[in-house]
Amino acid sequence: MQSLIIPLVKCKSGDLSLQMSIIRELLLFPLLYLNCLKCIIADQYTSTSPADKYQFGFKIGHSSGLCTNTFKQTIIHYTNRRSHVFVCFVDFSQAYDKVNYWKLINMLLDDGISIDLLQFLAFWYSHQEMYVKWNSVLSDCFTITNDTRQGGVLSPYLFRRYIRDMIHNIACCHIGCNIGDMALNILAWSLSPSWRGLQYLIDRLLLCAEAINMTCNDRKTVCMVFSPCNRSKIVLSSFPMFKLGTSNLQLVPSFRYLGYIITETQSDNDNIQREIKNTFILHVPTF
């Protein structure tokens, strides 16, 4: 029931008295206990929601590489057919910290999770106690009213369930990219072959996020435009800025997502160069 928070300095050259943003917290908690709890829940819970096919994280047989490949193939499908593709890379502010316990418990209740297990989860989350240790000084105990613990083995599964309805809401509107009968308008990104379509998806995402207490980070959320392969089909060389609420979103030529560099030219050169730099060549002399 108790956890210890240790602040870590991300930028040691910064002014600690002025820039709290350069501090990141490290949370220490009983890992063995949470591993057992995760196994109990995973054994009881199997999701069959249509929204699960848009989730690539923390699933057997899925990876960030698979998500990136699906994304790139969708872009190629449209640009080869003389269409622009508009993309929004969405970042949520302190996503795990914003999870509302009681909304999450109600979602799990709808999924048929054991009442006894949900009562246990509700008690555990609502009675967590935290301490902060800075150098050799230990703070007084305090409680928290929401979050799923970052780094906890159970947290990704709970967070995936927490945002599932939001993803389903976006996918089922069928505005944006579609291939055959499959909507591909959200793959950790929002995708649309039209400017107006993407703006609609961003507005819809914002409303769905507010319903579960999530906040989009307008400083880290960016957009990108992919042009048709046939240059004569390019409609404009520049487009109006997309809006997240009242904030303008930056249009970028490249973006790094989960280690992959996405560029508006669809080139893999930057990724290849990165892998070359990360390659270690071991030379063993022979005699």
Side-chain angles (χ1 to χ4, degrees):
M1 304 297 292
Q2 295 182 338
S3 300
L4 181 65
I5 299 175
I6 300 178
L8 297 178
V9 180
K10 292 188 288 184
C11 178
K12 295 184 178 180
S13 61
D15 186 348
L16 296 182
S17 64
L18 299 176
Q19 302 182 43
M20 291 305 295
S21 61
I22 67 175
I23 299 293
R24 173 160 292 180
E25 68 278 6
L26 173 66
L27 184 64
L28 304 180
F29 49 82
L31 184 59
L32 178 61
Y33 171 72
L34 291 182
N35 266 310
C36 294
L37 185 60
K38 176 201 138 182
C39 292
I40 293 172
I41 291 181
D43 185 57
Q44 288 199 20
Y45 179 63
T46 302
S47 173
T48 58
S49 170
D52 289 340
K53 58 178 171 279
Y54 301 101
Q55 299 257 21
F56 289 81
F58 312 105
K59 291 173 62 179
I60 296 175
H62 291 70
S63 67
S64 59
L66 179 59
C67 182
T68 303
N69 184 60
T70 303
F71 166 75
K72 293 174 74 172
Q73 292 301 318
T74 303
I75 300 298
I76 292 172
H77 175 84
Y78 274 86
T79 55
N80 282 348
R81 287 163 175 76
R82 306 177 180 182
S83 174
H84 289 270
V85 180
F86 300 87
V87 179
C88 181
F89 299 88
V90 181
D91 181 84
F92 290 105
S93 301
Q94 301 175 323
Y96 275 31
D97 297 337
K98 298 291 181 65
V99 173
N100 183 293
Y101 300 149
W102 308 115
K103 289 185 178 181
L104 175 61
I105 295 298
N106 284 329
M107 293 174 183
L108 294 173
L109 185 63
D110 292 338
D111 292 341
I113 299 292
S114 164
I115 296 297
D116 291 337
L117 183 56
L118 291 181
Q119 287 178 332
F120 173 74
L121 279 174
F123 181 86
W124 177 53
Y125 271 117
S126 60
H127 289 78
Q128 294 178 96
E129 296 181 343
M130 301 285 181
Y131 297 85
V132 177
K133 185 176 182 180
W134 181 261
N135 292 328
S136 58
V137 180
L138 190 66
S139 74
D140 294 332
C141 169
F142 60 92
T143 59
I144 56 176
T145 58
N146 54 270
D147 92 332
T148 52
R149 302 180 179 194
Q150 294 196 41
V153 291
L154 183 61
S155 298
Y157 297 89
L158 296 178
F159 183 75
R160 196 177 74 185
R161 174 58 187 94
Y162 192 69
I163 65 173
R164 191 181 74 189
D165 295 341
M166 178 177 65
I167 291 177
H168 178 68
N169 193 299
I170 299 296
C172 70
C173 75
H174 291 287
I175 291 178
C177 292
N178 291 266
I179 299 179
D181 295 330
M182 178 72 175
L184 289 167
N185 56 0
I186 181 166
L187 295 169
W189 303 279
S190 293
L191 305 104
S192 174
S194 73
W195 186 95
R196 188 178 298 275
L198 183 60
Q199 185 60 63
Y200 174 85
L201 292 176
I202 294 172
D203 295 339
R204 191 177 181 116
L205 178 71
L206 187 60
L207 291 174
C208 294
E210 290 176 351
I212 55 173
N213 305 108
M214 305 292 288
T215 305
C216 294
N217 187 337
D218 57 9
R219 291 182 295 106
K220 293 184 178 181
T221 297
V222 298
C223 296
M224 189 181 296
V225 179
F226 295 86
S227 300
C229 294
N230 187 336
R231 312 307 291 179
S232 66
K233 299 300 179 181
I234 295 178
V235 178
L236 294 171
S237 58
S238 62
F239 292 88
M241 300 185 74
F242 292 97
K243 284 187 173 292
L244 180 66
T246 58
S247 301
N248 290 325
L249 296 179
Q250 183 182 4
L251 282 171
V252 297
S254 65
F255 184 79
R256 186 165 181 163
Y257 181 78
L258 296 177
Y260 295 89
I261 302 172
I262 308 295
T263 65
E264 61 184 4
T265 62
Q266 304 182 51
S267 170
D268 287 320
N269 289 342
D270 290 339
N271 288 303
I272 293 171
Q273 291 300 318
R274 183 202 61 201
E275 292 300 327
I276 291 175
K277 291 179 180 179
N278 292 336
T279 300
F280 291 88
I281 300 177
L282 301 179
H283 177 68
V284 179
T286 58
F287 299 95

